[in-house]
């Protein structure tokens, strides 16, 4: 029997209240590893790709992988897999915190949520038992109020995942919050939970998960921790300055999007970087379960209007999206905006990019004054904060539209081209005009605009694990594919992508996965599993109606040269990379996986 | 732009993250006479053994993952440490950084 799992998946039908236990499919563990890969296979098999994200027929898989509760470094992540609310892709949002190991120790590997509850409920999972509990009094409350109430109703040591007011109001950019401040942010997974009248899960677990080779795992974990300690990024840069240490380098290379990508350099961006955070607002570092890196920032605003408020963040992406993307360099305001997003349960990337989109629409006169309660101009920090509130509350005409994300907002006003999104999901803080490979990844990412599923920024900007030229196109197709397949493995294992900054080879992960599961995975088999997961997600998206036309970027990034800074004049010529990418993937010219490729990956031909 | 041997040029240098602490300032302006390279510039700034150890692992070799940008371009994609400087260049020096 495969080890490192409980061998049990819970299936909860919210429509009927039925709770079942099912056996883990061991063959699927070999083929799809766990977490994102395994959960994706469940959705692929069980949910009609054409179903509406908010239909009761959509399902949600909350999944861990083999490394959760194994003490593998940063190996406790949880994944939420579903048909995403933002764009209808086979969505997966990945989160740290402490929920994953607790869930696994409660005796389950995953839970499948089906149907729609007639009234708001949450699940209480307590060392093997599962109860559906009433959540009517908690519906629409903030995560901190929910966590406190749920812990008092269940166990003070319970770990809690919950949607906030944004999920309840079906905002398509709603996150699911874990341990208060960690977010499964992307793709609108929070709204899918909201559509099912499902608040979240409280879990308590004290069981041990059996490991195939405990001595081997101890040695493999120890080796991995050594790599992470000795490597400069996870050993020094991330713990000292957090993820926002990237602000300055992205700005210096002229690849840090400004005012809805109207530029890519902001002279005072450094005022919001990791160094400034460490100096002005940092209280202490924060680490997720079993994580030796501790990139989290526990912060407090120490001056100005929001003095005394405290919370977690901002991370790099939030520093940017609520910052210079909106023309703002006020760190306190950005931090306040971040706290608010956490309180509403909003994805900070999509929230900030949507606000930036609204600011441009307003400044260009595309949003009539009657639709807005105040001017929405770039650089106005107070406007940004008020817009987060409007978005979270869906207040008024503009609040209702902001909650839908930038694409629907811009489309409503007749200018969809001003949504900085790929497959309707807002693209992150690396401008593809200045970093070509990440543009290819944004365009081809299975869940829409996203950086973490194919982080070519490592070699293109940071020189890790090798240095490539960010402005050339040659070799970027292979680079994107390699990172996408590699990351599918890391995600599906439950490990954090940041381990890659010290563990750049599959051979750094495979001893851990072999020791935990007892499956004699080779490095090649694991990378093949990553490729299989990527192709499965692609097949789902094709079935859902996505085509080659959706593998693209906003026209601004393809045609409008960067206005100033070190990458002035650059555009992203996607056509120079996409055909080669399809070819390397074993897809035809329309981006459809060939029969040969699917056979090679043990995937059926569904089309 | 041609630089004559007797020209005086001003180069702006920025240090980030841990390098800001090691070099005591985020931004400095350096004046040179004549033709100079990135190596000359960094040599002139490493005015103590400690500072030298921060950046170099040999006479003319930077430590791995020390990132030097000339006007936003990594010197690896120019002429490396021998990249020539001209008046008004901005040099940014980064320790290893990462995130997401």
């Amino acid at each position: 029997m495969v080890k490192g799992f409980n061998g049990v998946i819970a299936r909860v039908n919210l429509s009927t209240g039925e709770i079942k236990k099912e056996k883990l499919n061991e063959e699927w563990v070999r083929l799809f590893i766990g977490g994102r890969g395994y959960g994706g296979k469940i959705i692929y098999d069980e949910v009609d790709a054409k179903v509406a994200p908010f239909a009761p027929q959509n399902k949600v898989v909350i999944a861990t992988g083999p490394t959760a509760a194994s003490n593998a470094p940063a190996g406790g992540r949880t994944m939420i897999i579903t048909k995403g609310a933002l764009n209808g892709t086979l969505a997966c949002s990945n989160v740290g915190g402490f929920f994953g190991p607790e869930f696994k120790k409660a005796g389950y590997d995953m839970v499948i949520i089906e149907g729609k509850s007639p009234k708001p409920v949450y699940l209480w999972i307590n060392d093997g038992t599962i109860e559906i509990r009433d959540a009517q009094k908690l519906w629409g409350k903030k995560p901190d109020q929910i966590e406190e109430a749920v812990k008092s109703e269940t166990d003070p040591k319970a770990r809690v995942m919950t949607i906030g007011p944004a999920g309840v109001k079906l905002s398509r950019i709603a996150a699911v919050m874990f341990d208060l401040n960690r977010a499964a942010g992307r793709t609108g997974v929070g709204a899918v939970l909201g559509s099912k009248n499902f608040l979240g899960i409280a879990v308590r677990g004290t069981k041990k998960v059996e490991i195939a080779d405990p001595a081997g795992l101890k040695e493999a974990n120890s080796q991995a921790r050594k790599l992470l300690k000795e490597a400069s990024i996870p050993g020094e840069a991330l713990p000292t300055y957090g993820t926002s240490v990237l602000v300055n380098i992205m700005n210096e290379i002229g690849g840090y999007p400004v005012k809805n990508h109207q530029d890519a350099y902001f002279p005072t961006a450094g005022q919001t970087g990791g160094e400034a955070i460490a100096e002005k607002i940092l209280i202490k570092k924060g680490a997720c379960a079993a994580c030796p890196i501790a990139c989290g920032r526990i912060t407090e605003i120490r001056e100005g209007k929001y003095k005394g408020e405290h919370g977690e963040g901002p991370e790099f992406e939030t520093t940017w999206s609520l910052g210079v993307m909106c023309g703002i360099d006020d760190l306190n305001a950005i931090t306040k905006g971040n706290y608010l997003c956490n309180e509403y349960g909003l994805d900070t990337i999509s929230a900030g990019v949507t606000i930036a989109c609204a600011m441009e629409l307003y400044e260009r006169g595309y949003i009539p004054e009657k639709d807005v309660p105040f001017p929405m101009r770039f650089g106005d920090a107070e406007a940004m904060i008020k817009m987060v509130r409007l978005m979270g509350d869906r207040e008024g005409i503009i609040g209702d539209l902001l909650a839908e994300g930038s694409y629907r907002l811009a489309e409503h006003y007749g200018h969809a081209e001003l949504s900085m999104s790929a497959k309707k999901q807002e693209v992150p803080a690396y401008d593809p005009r200045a970093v070509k490979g990440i543009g290819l990844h944004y365009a081809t990412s299975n869940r829409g605009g996203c950086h973490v599923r194919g982080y070519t920024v490592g070699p293109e900007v940071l020189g890790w694990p090798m240095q490539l030229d960010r402005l050339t196109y040659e070799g970027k197709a292979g680079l994107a594919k390699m990172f996408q397949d590699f990351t599918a493995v890391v995600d599906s294992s439950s490990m954090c992508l940041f381990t890659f900054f010290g563990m750049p080879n599959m051979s750094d992960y495979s001893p851990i996965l072999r020791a935990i599961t007892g499956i004699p995975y080779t490095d090649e088999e694991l990378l093949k599993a990553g490729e299989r997961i990527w192709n499965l997600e692609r097949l789902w998206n094709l079935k859902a109606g996505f085509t080659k036309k959706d593998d693209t970027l906003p026209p601004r990034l393809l045609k409008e040269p960067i206005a100033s800074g070190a990458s002035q004049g650059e555009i992203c010529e996607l056509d120079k990379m996409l055909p080669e990418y399809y070819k390397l993937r074993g897809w035809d010219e329309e981006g459809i996986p060939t029969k040969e490729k699917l056979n090679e990956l043990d995937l059926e031909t569904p089309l | 732009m041609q630089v004559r041997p007797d020209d005086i040029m001003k180069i702006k240098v920025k240090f980030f993250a841990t390098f800001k602490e090691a070099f005591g300032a985020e931004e400095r302006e350096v004046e040179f006479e004549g033709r100079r390279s990135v190596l000359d510039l960094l040599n002139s700034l490493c005015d103590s053994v400690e500072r030298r150890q921060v950046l170099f692992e040999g006479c003319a070799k930077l430590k791995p993952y020390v990132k030097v940008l000339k006007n936003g371009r990594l010197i690896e994609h120019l002429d490396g440490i021998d990249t020539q400087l001209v008046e008004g260049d901005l040099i940014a020096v980064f320790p290893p950084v990462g995130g997401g």
Side-chain angles (χ1 to χ4, degrees), chain A residues 312-532:
Chain A
E312 192 163 345
E315 301 285 345
F316 170 63
E317 290 293 338
T318 315
T319 300
W320 160 76
S321 64
L322 299 173
V324 306
M325 185 63 165
C326 296
I328 292 164
D329 61 5
D330 176 344
L331 180 60
N332 292 327
I334 294 166
T335 307
K336 172 62 183 175
N338 189 164
Y339 294 168
L340 275 176
C341 285
N342 289 353
E343 287 172 23
Y344 281 111
L346 281 164
D347 173 31
T348 56
I349 297 178
S350 286
V353 176
T354 302
I355 289 169
C357 176
M359 287 174 163
E360 184 169 1
L361 289 166
Y362 177 81
E363 287 198 347
R364 290 185 184 275
Y366 299 147
I367 300 181
E369 292 289 345
K370 68 175 177 56
D371 285 4
V372 297
F374 51 84
M376 295 177 169
R377 295 190 187 284
F378 285 117
D380 185 341
E382 280 309 302
M384 177 273 288
I385 288 168
K386 286 193 278 186
M387 288 166 83
V388 174
R389 288 200 170 101
L390 293 178
M391 174 187 282
D393 291 325
R394 289 197 93 126
E395 188 184 325
I397 294 170
I398 196 71
D400 201 39
L401 287 164
L402 288 168
E404 292 285 288
S406 67
Y407 187 86
R408 290 171 177 84
L409 167 79
E411 189 182 41
H412 175 86
Y413 289 109
H415 290 278
E417 77 281 2
L418 293 182
S419 164
M420 295 302 120
S421 60
K423 296 186 180 73
K424 296 184 185 170
Q425 176 160 263
E426 290 71 20
V427 298
Y430 309 90
D431 197 309
R433 295 171 292 186
V435 187
K436 312 298 188 189
I438 202 71
L440 177 62
H441 170 65
Y442 287 172
T444 57
S445 176
N446 286 324
R447 65 175 186 173
C450 148
H451 59 302
V452 287
R453 295 289 173 81
Y455 194 68
T456 64
V457 174
E460 289 190 284
V461 179
L462 311 175
W464 180 265
M466 67 291 213
Q467 185 69 61
L468 299 178
D469 190 337
R470 63 188 171 85
L471 294 178
T472 61
Y473 295 97
E474 197 183 349
K476 298 298 169 68
L479 186 75
K481 177 187 180 296
M482 184 189 76
F483 269 84
Q484 290 170 344
D485 294 348
F486 189 99
T487 307
V489 178
V490 178
D491 282 353
S492 299
S493 73
S494 261
M495 288 181 78
C496 175
L497 179 60
F498 287 178
T499 54
F500 159 78
F501 287 125
M503 301 165 65
N505 304 299
M506 196 43 67
S507 57
D508 299 323
Y509 295 86
S510 55
I512 295 173
L513 294 171
R514 282 194 293 267
I516 290 173
T517 62
I519 298 172
Y521 290 119
T522 63
D523 299 343
E524 293 72 26
E525 283 169 347
L526 285 169
L527 282 168
K528 190 61 78 183
E531 189 180 9
R532 183 178 297 116

Side-chain angles (χ1 to χ4, degrees), chain A residues 232-233 236-238 241 245 248-249 252-253 275 430 451 455 462-463 467-471 566, chain B residues 14 16-18 20-21 65 67 69 71-74 76-77 90 92 94 96-100:
Chain A
S232 303
I233 296 174
E236 187 174 356
L238 282 170
Y241 296 110
V245 73
N248 280 310
I249 196 163
E252 289 298 322
I253 67 161
E275 295 92 328
Y430 309 90
H451 59 302
Y455 194 68
L462 311 175
Q467 185 69 61
L468 299 178
D469 190 337
R470 63 188 171 85
L471 294 178
Chain B
K14 285 164 121 177
F16 294 98
T18 46
K20 182 180 159 189
E21 291 160 34
Y65 311 119
K67 294 289 154 215
L69 276 60
N71 303 327
R73 289 281 281 157
L74 278 168
E76 282 99 320
H77 306 307
L90 170 63
F94 286 89
V97 292

Side-chain angles (χ1 to χ4, degrees), chain A residues 42 101 122 146 177 222 242 267 274 415 515 564 601:
Chain A
I42 293 172
Y122 73 91
I146 293 167
M177 305 304 296
S222 162
H415 290 278
S564 72
L601 296 172

Side-chain angles (χ1 to χ4, degrees), chain A residues 6-9 102-109 125 127-128 205 207:
Chain A
N6 296 293
V8 184
I9 295 174
E102 194 78 19
F103 178 82
K104 194 97 168 269
K105 287 192 281 185
Y108 297 97
D109 302 312
I125 303 178
D127 261 340
K207 298 170 190 281

